[in-house]
């Protein structure tokens, strides 16, 4: 699988995500908001979307001087997925090593299998970040008839892929 070349992290994307998602959306006690590292597969879940976004911001913020080279070495949020239309329900925010490159290739893939099988067949809305377009697939390893690209915040992924996603491509 082709990997994107790192370049400067998208500044403020996580803050914009938090602001866009919390306006008018109340988190229910039973909701789960998780963040996942695409490279390690590590997943951490929180009771609120704000807590998840804050943790994702910490994971993707430069730890040293904020020079261009320091930012290029940090991960970026690549997409957030929701179990209900209109960015409601549970959420999964995925971060990876760099923004996507617009060169016709899927730069990153993420399977909703194994430790993430609880997220399979649950996605109803999506938000792309870090210059990534999102492709949704009904089978692992980008298999089956895909839908997308979702190039902007999408309140409903449509009848074809609603609650059918098993893998995600970021391009």
């Amino acid at each position: 699988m082709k990997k994107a070349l790192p370049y400067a992290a998208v500044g403020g994307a996580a803050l914009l995500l938090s602001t866009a998602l919390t306006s008018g959306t109340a988190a229910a006690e039973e909701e789960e908001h998780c963040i996942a590292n695409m490279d390690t597969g590590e997943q951490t879940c929180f009771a609120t979307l704000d807590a998840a976004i804050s943790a994702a911001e910490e994971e993707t913020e430069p730890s040293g001087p904020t020079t261009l080279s320091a930012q290029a070495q940090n991960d970026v949020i690549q997409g957030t997925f929701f179990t209900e239309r209109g960015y409601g329900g549970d959420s999964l925010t995925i971060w990876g090593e760099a923004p996507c490159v617009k060169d016709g290739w899927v730069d990153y893939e993420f399977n909703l299998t194994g430790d993430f099988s609880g997220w399979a067949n649950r996605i109803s809305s999506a938000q792309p970040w870090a210059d990534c377009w999102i492709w949704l697939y009904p089978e692992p390893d980008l298999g089956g008839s895909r839908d997308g690209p979702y190039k902007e915040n999408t309140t409903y992924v449509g009848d074809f892929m609603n609650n059918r996603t098993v893998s995600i491509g970021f391009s």
Side-chain angles (χ1 to χ4, degrees), residues 29-52:
E29 281 184 40
E30 65 276 356
E31 288 180 356
E32 186 172 57
H33 302 279
C34 301
I35 60 173
N37 181 316
M38 185 175 300
D39 296 326
T40 67
E42 180 182 340
Q43 175 180 222
T44 307
C45 297
F46 303 86
T48 67
L49 181 59
D50 285 340

Side-chain angles (χ1 to χ4, degrees), residues 85 123-124 147 150 156-164:
R85 294 179 188 199
I123 292 175
S124 292
D147 199 15
Y150 299 94
Y156 180 58
V157 298
D159 292 340
F160 180 66
M161 283 308 298
N162 185 45
N163 295 325
R164 291 189 61 227

Side-chain angles (χ1 to χ4, degrees), residues 62-105:
S63 57
T66 56
T67 64
L68 184 59
S69 63
Q71 287 180 347
Q73 295 173 10
N74 265 15
D75 293 337
V76 295
I77 295 174
Q78 294 173 324
T80 300
F81 304 89
F82 300 86
T83 59
E84 295 178 14
R85 294 179 188 199
Y87 320 117
D90 297 342
S91 68
L92 175 63
T93 298
I94 300 170
W95 80 88
E97 70 181 15
C100 295
V101 176
K102 296 290 162 268
D103 60 1
W105 295 93

Side-chain angles (χ1 to χ4, degrees), residues 100-102 104-108 131-135 149 169-171:
C100 295
V101 176
K102 296 290 162 268
W105 295 93
V106 170
D107 299 307
Y108 305 97
D131 204 27
C132 290
W133 293 351
I134 294 171
W135 297 89
F170 296 89
S171 68

